[in-house]
Amino acid sequence: MQRALDDAKVPLSWMPEQWQQVMVDLGQPRYRGQQGFEWIWQHAVDDYDQILVWPKTLRQLMQQRYPFQRLRSETVQEAADTTTKILFRLADQQRVETVVLPHAYGTSICVSSQVGCNLGCTFCASGLLGRTRNLNAGEILDQVVMASRLMPASMPPISRVDLMGIGEPLDNYQEVVRFIRLIHQPQGLNLGYRHITLSTSGLVPAIYRLADEDLPVTLAVSLHAPNNALRSRLMPINRAYPLEKLMPAARHYSEQTGRRVTFEYAMLRDVNDSLETARELADLLAGWSCHVNLIPWNPVPEEPFQPSPMMRVRSFRDIVQQNAISCTIRKELGQEIDAACGQLRHREEADHRSEGIRQFAPGISENGEPG
Ligand code: SF4
């Protein structure tokens, strides 16, 4: 019941059937709901008054009963390579950020799913103050629509979405799954599931649940260490879901969906970047059809970690590859504009020492794959 009430208040989170039901409840033809959904997502109207195919009385009625507000951009930064970072302000004045990235294959976007995060990874300041709230599905989707308006006109349309910004997507399971279904709607943005990557720190029960949703999105697991002692030190979630639980869950996801799982590995100098650790990682992943994405660390003053030297990163990659595991180094984009998710927000809120640093920049792998 609570779910239904919440939905009723958030038109941007409505599925097409809900739009149609609202119209029926208002004594309107069902197709008006279809029109509403299309004009919100394909025409990106700012209010009901811009839905020109609706009669004026309906526009006024909807405005009275179901007002909505699109995300507002507070700051937009564009790098020389056209990587664009946007700080959005939500209706309740919370802020999240979104990054649009140029690739050889087109344009991708990295969206946030929560304001802050409760998981407390030691390399990520998002966990310092914890999660303020979850984003609803409409707020996640609106990042894509509003960023499309704000990104440089020279960029091709967004063709990939990475749930890799601030927050743990699987800690906001219902809204994230709803977002994935919403963005896939043919009457909306019509994005294929295979063009979506969901990055998780390893919430094992939610990985199993997601595998059963019939949503074949790519799963990216933030691994960062090949053994429990080191991983628990970096990621407290590993104490609840150690590698003996996480790896079978990731394998199950891969088998169930037919999608190759990506393991993300931030390269932290003298922490997880030894060649012995590379061999341990190769042993852990032996026999898998998976991909390892090595992420050059993007240092920030508040954190104790340093980036691994690039020569070390390459040697690490070589060892993993020699063990027949696909492994690439992420190419960083938009370095000069705080492109790592959360850095812009963090800088803007530095006076309050707010949460919100996702330390690694979204980017592309050496082979051009989204990273
Ligand atoms: S890395 Fe991800 S899961 Fe970990 S604290 Fe940061 S946002 Fe949360």
Side-chain angles (χ1 to χ4, degrees):
M1 177 54 92
Q2 186 59 43
R3 167 83 241 169
L5 285 174
D6 288 347
D7 281 354
K9 291 184 218 149
V10 186
L12 295 190
S13 291
W14 290 346
M15 298 297 283
E17 315 80 79
Q18 289 170 281
W19 279 94
Q20 290 167 14
Q21 187 57 50
V22 166
M23 290 300 142
V24 170
D25 293 347
L26 293 176
Q28 295 284 329
R30 196 170 276 275
Y31 70 83
R32 294 277 186 224
Q34 189 78 3
Q35 291 172 331
F37 188 86
E38 284 175 9
W39 279 68
I40 291 280
W41 295 119
Q42 291 187 354
H43 298 263
V45 294
D46 287 315
D47 56 50
Y48 294 118
D49 226 26
Q50 294 176 348
I51 303 182
L52 302 176
V53 291
W54 276 2
K56 188 161 188 184
T57 48
L58 176 58
R59 291 185 242 153
Q60 289 170 340
L61 193 57
M62 287 295 285
Q63 183 57 33
Q64 285 162 14
R65 297 211 182 165
Y66 306 108
F68 73 91
Q69 185 178 312
R70 303 214 87 114
L71 300 185
R72 285 175 295 143
S73 66
E74 188 158 301
T75 309
V76 180
Q77 292 183 340
E78 185 186 331
D81 64 11
T82 70
T83 297
T84 302
K85 172 160 270 200
I86 304 157
L87 190 65
F88 283 117
R89 193 174 277 279
L90 309 175
D92 62 357
Q93 307 306 313
Q94 298 292 337
R95 297 193 282 194
V96 292
E97 62 181 74
T98 306
V99 189
V100 183
L101 299 129
H103 305 279
Y105 64 79
T107 304
S108 75
I109 185 168
C110 179
V111 295
S112 295
S113 56
Q114 297 180 308
V115 181
C117 181
N118 269 347
L119 297 193
C121 302
T122 54
F123 49 78
C124 177
S126 292
L128 289 178
L129 293 180
R131 180 191 61 205
T132 303
R133 72 170 173 89
N134 288 333
L135 298 195
N136 61 48
E139 289 170 325
I140 305 172
L141 183 52
D142 210 23
Q143 292 173 61
V144 182
V145 170
M146 297 310 283
S148 297
R149 269 194 201 174
L150 296 162
M151 69 192 201
S154 60
M155 291 179 99
I158 292 167
S159 58
R160 285 199 64 91
V161 172
D162 298 322
L163 283 149
M164 241 177 231
I166 297 168
E168 161 56 61
L170 295 183
D171 189 36
N172 181 16
Y173 188 91
Q174 269 192 321
E175 292 300 319
V176 163
V177 165
R178 190 179 183 82
F179 156 74
I180 293 169
R181 295 191 197 285
L182 265 179
I183 199 170
H184 183 65
Q185 294 299 312
Q187 311 93 325
L189 301 195
N190 198 19
L191 188 74
Y193 293 132
R194 287 161 191 266
H195 295 253
I196 300 170
T197 297
L198 186 152
S199 174
T200 179
S201 59
L203 293 186
V204 166
I207 293 173
Y208 282 108
R209 192 174 166 197
L210 187 67
D212 289 336
E213 295 280 0
D214 198 21
L215 299 172
V217 300
T218 299
L219 186 71
V221 175
S222 295
L223 193 60
H224 308 311
N227 61 66
N228 283 325
L230 180 54
R231 192 163 190 271
S232 293
R233 191 148 67 84
L234 296 173
M235 306 176 74
I237 186 71
N238 194 69
R239 292 178 204 135
Y241 303 115
L243 293 171
E244 309 84 80
K245 292 184 176 169
L246 175 60
M247 302 312 280
R251 199 180 278 267
H252 173 80
Y253 186 87
S254 180
E255 288 166 0
Q256 192 79 2
T257 60
R259 304 292 291 153
R260 188 176 71 160
V261 171
T262 294
F263 291 98
E264 296 176 6
Y265 198 102
M267 296 295 291
L268 308 172
R269 181 179 196 149
D270 299 331
V271 175
N272 66 354
D273 67 344
S274 73
L275 302 188
E276 188 188 339
T277 309
R279 284 187 275 276
E280 204 178 348
L281 178 63
D283 285 347
L284 181 71
L285 301 178
W288 266 68
S289 173
C290 62
H291 177 74
V292 176
N293 199 16
L294 300 181
I295 305 163
W297 179 247
N298 208 357
V300 289
E302 293 82 354
E303 301 298 328
F305 301 108
Q306 293 300 318
S308 300
M310 192 42 77
M311 271 187 48
R312 170 57 61 93
V313 177
R314 291 200 187 101
S315 303
F316 195 100
R317 173 202 58 193
D318 292 346
I319 288 175
V320 177
Q321 285 182 340
Q322 282 156 15
N323 285 271
I325 296 163
S326 166
C327 179
T328 48
I329 301 168
R330 179 179 290 179
K331 179 180 165 194
E332 294 183 89
L333 296 169
Q335 284 290 286
E336 74 273 27
I337 58 158
D338 307 324
C341 290
Q343 282 191 349
L344 173 60
R345 175 170 181 258
H346 174 76
R347 195 158 57 75
E348 299 266 329
E349 299 190 359
D351 290 346
H352 307 287
R353 189 60 185 93
S354 187
E355 77 280 26
I357 295 181
R358 184 66 177 266
Q359 301 291 3
F360 24 91
I364 53 174
S365 300
E366 298 159 301
N367 62 1
E369 287 191 16

